[in-house]
Amino acid sequence: MKEFVHRGQITKVVFGSGTRRRIPEEVDALGCRRVLVLCTPDQVDQAAEIRDLLGAAAAGTFAGAVPHTPVEVTQEAVARAGSVGADSVLAVGGGSTIGLGKAITARTGLPQLALPTTYAGSEMTPILGETEGRIKTTRRLAEVLPRTVVYDVELTRTLPAPVSVVSGINAMAHAVEALYAQDQDPVALLMAGESLDALARSLPLIARRPDDAEARADALYGAWLAGTCLGTVGMALHHKVCHVLGGAFGLPHAETHTVVLPHVIAYNAPAAGEAMARITRALPGDDPANALFDLAGRLGAPRALRDLGMPASGIERAAELVVRDGYWNPRPVDRSAVHAFLTRAWAGERP
Ligand code: NAD
């Protein structure tokens, strides 16, 4: 057996259906008494329910979370936390809201709890991405990991089917890159494979019936595992490409992951045979890149970067940015090959 290092996580995870009702006891277990509830403007109703559950322990709601964690929004939220005397924050939402919670924790030290409602997985990672001006930077800070994550399957049932599909494929991307991570360990490999199995079987069911409770539970379970992979092992070319496209062209997060992933799988396939075999176990087919491309097509997900608003003129610059910094990838990253697969991804062609 190969040598390995495995990093365990400090986050307490509560998983189930209706588990949001356990939020008051989880807040209490952390010794917190005044919780600022965070959400996006779209999720004020879900946040209001949690606020009611908290009763006297609710210090207020900040409903201004937006994608990419702009520092101006964080500053406003930090000021709110101060003015209401909050001793903790509770993010009710997806990666945008959880990102805001992390940014508040990074500045104030307030502990965060999270109730994730998408499959993005931010709640299980120490990664904090923030935007200032038009520049997005990312850092790893152990202290921004939520102390407690409560997964309540019921809260995910309102996530519209198209958003669920792309969010689920976003989670699959974490699992795929964990399978060939440079610092992979046996536990991360098990989690990644199990995550892909759960997401591959549940997403088609959710696309047909978004309120299928069993499928929702399976998908959230897969998303938790994928998020844990993202938080514990290093990512590679796929995450780099998506970071570049999101930052340089403002492309939507989960949709970008969905379009790019089959192309990066095809690129890395010759150098990551075992990873490809594991993806094929979850997504049977002649080759894993096409199996994923076909899955996205069957589920009505976007498959072309041009449909996400990327200009054709941006391909050149994106390829340049993708190869600019050195980072590990199972196959050396070659500029002309990146340019070629970005061109196919832009047009929506097969990987
Ligand atoms: P999001 O949080 O922006 O949510 C997308 C939209 O769906 C929002 O309007 C939200 O209010 C709505 N929504 C969420 N859950 C819902 C539900 N159950 N019912 C109805 N509507 C719901 O999107 P996301 O894809 O979860 O997160 C994307 C952001 O998270 C990006 O900024 C990305 O960079 C970041 N992210 C960070 C990490 C990390 O480790 N730091 C990991 C993944 C994503």
Side-chain angles (χ1 to χ4, degrees), residues 108-169:
T108 61
L110 295 180
Q112 182 186 189
L113 298 92
L115 254 174
T117 62
T118 71
Y119 307 131
S122 176
E123 65 281 357
M124 296 310 296
T125 85
I127 304 163
L128 170 62
E130 297 186 278
T131 355
E132 183 150 26
R134 288 173 56 85
I135 314 248
K136 185 161 181 177
T137 53
T138 303
R139 30 188 189 140
R140 290 182 91 95
L141 289 174
E143 57 272 29
V144 303
L145 263 172
R147 299 277 292 277
T148 306
V149 175
V150 177
Y151 286 102
D152 186 342
V153 177
E154 286 174 7
L155 292 185
T156 62
R157 290 170 73 175
T158 53
L159 192 65
V163 188
S164 303
V165 168
V166 293
S167 191
I169 296 176

Side-chain angles (χ1 to χ4, degrees), residues 23-42:
I23 284 285
E25 77 189 76
E26 296 303 336
V27 165
D28 203 46
L30 292 177
C32 298
R33 300 279 174 269
R34 290 192 62 73
V35 186
L36 179 65
V37 178
L38 311 173
C39 64
T40 65
D42 292 341

Side-chain angles (χ1 to χ4, degrees), residues 215-233:
R216 285 291 189 185
D218 220 11
L220 194 59
Y221 167 66
W224 162 56
L225 293 170
T228 308
C229 289
L230 177 66
T232 48
V233 296

Side-chain angles (χ1 to χ4, degrees), residues 17-328:
S17 213
T19 41
R20 64 191 176 286
R21 294 180 200 98
R22 286 170 58 174
I23 284 285
E25 77 189 76
E26 296 303 336
V27 165
D28 203 46
L30 292 177
C32 298
R33 300 279 174 269
R34 290 192 62 73
V35 186
L36 179 65
V37 178
L38 311 173
C39 64
T40 65
D42 292 341
Q43 288 181 278
V44 280
D45 291 344
Q46 280 179 331
E49 190 200 341
I50 305 303
R51 198 183 152 148
D52 290 347
L53 285 170
L54 282 166
T61 304
F62 180 85
V66 293
H68 306 305
T69 332
V71 289
E72 326 64 272
V73 174
T74 302
Q75 283 157 357
E76 207 187 314
V78 166
R80 175 75 63 79
S83 68
V84 299
D87 63 5
S88 48
V89 290
L90 166 60
V92 182
S96 298
T97 308
I98 293 163
L100 173 63
K102 288 175 169 180
I104 297 172
T105 298
R107 285 165 181 76
T108 61
L110 295 180
Q112 182 186 189
L113 298 92
L115 254 174
T117 62
T118 71
Y119 307 131
S122 176
E123 65 281 357
M124 296 310 296
T125 85
I127 304 163
L128 170 62
E130 297 186 278
T131 355
E132 183 150 26
R134 288 173 56 85
I135 314 248
K136 185 161 181 177
T137 53
T138 303
R139 30 188 189 140
R140 290 182 91 95
L141 289 174
E143 57 272 29
V144 303
L145 263 172
R147 299 277 292 277
T148 306
V149 175
V150 177
Y151 286 102
D152 186 342
V153 177
E154 286 174 7
L155 292 185
T156 62
R157 290 170 73 175
T158 53
L159 192 65
V163 188
S164 303
V165 168
V166 293
S167 191
I169 296 176
N170 179 194
M172 289 174 116
H174 311 327
V176 164
E177 294 231 293
L179 289 174
Y180 52 63
Q182 185 180 29
D183 55 349
Q184 65 179 210
D185 69 65
V187 179
L189 284 178
L190 287 171
M191 289 192 295
E194 174 84 354
S195 166
L196 288 174
D197 291 343
L199 289 160
R201 65 180 173 246
S202 57
L203 293 182
L205 300 174
I206 291 171
R208 269 202 300 277
R209 262 194 52 208
D211 66 344
D212 181 328
E214 289 272 310
R216 285 291 189 185
D218 220 11
L220 194 59
Y221 167 66
W224 162 56
L225 293 170
T228 308
C229 289
L230 177 66
T232 48
V233 296
M235 296 287 115
L237 176 62
H238 171 78
H239 283 74
K240 178 66 178 182
V241 171
C242 294
H243 184 86
V244 162
L245 296 178
F249 308 103
L251 303 191
H253 180 83
E255 289 82 350
T256 305
H257 276 267
T258 301
V259 175
V260 170
L261 188 60
H263 296 274
V264 173
I265 291 177
Y267 181 78
N268 280 337
E274 284 180 27
M276 297 304 133
R278 186 62 187 89
I279 301 169
T280 297
R281 258 176 70 191
L283 276 176
D286 289 342
D287 81 277
N290 277 306
L292 190 66
F293 184 80
D294 290 337
L295 177 78
R298 275 200 307 281
L299 304 188
R303 293 195 292 187
L305 293 173
R306 70 172 164 202
D307 294 342
L308 306 184
M310 180 173 171
S313 59
I315 296 173
E316 191 75 33
R317 185 160 149 244
E320 197 177 302
L321 292 170
V322 166
V323 299
R324 185 181 284 175
D325 311 315
Y327 53 91
W328 189 83

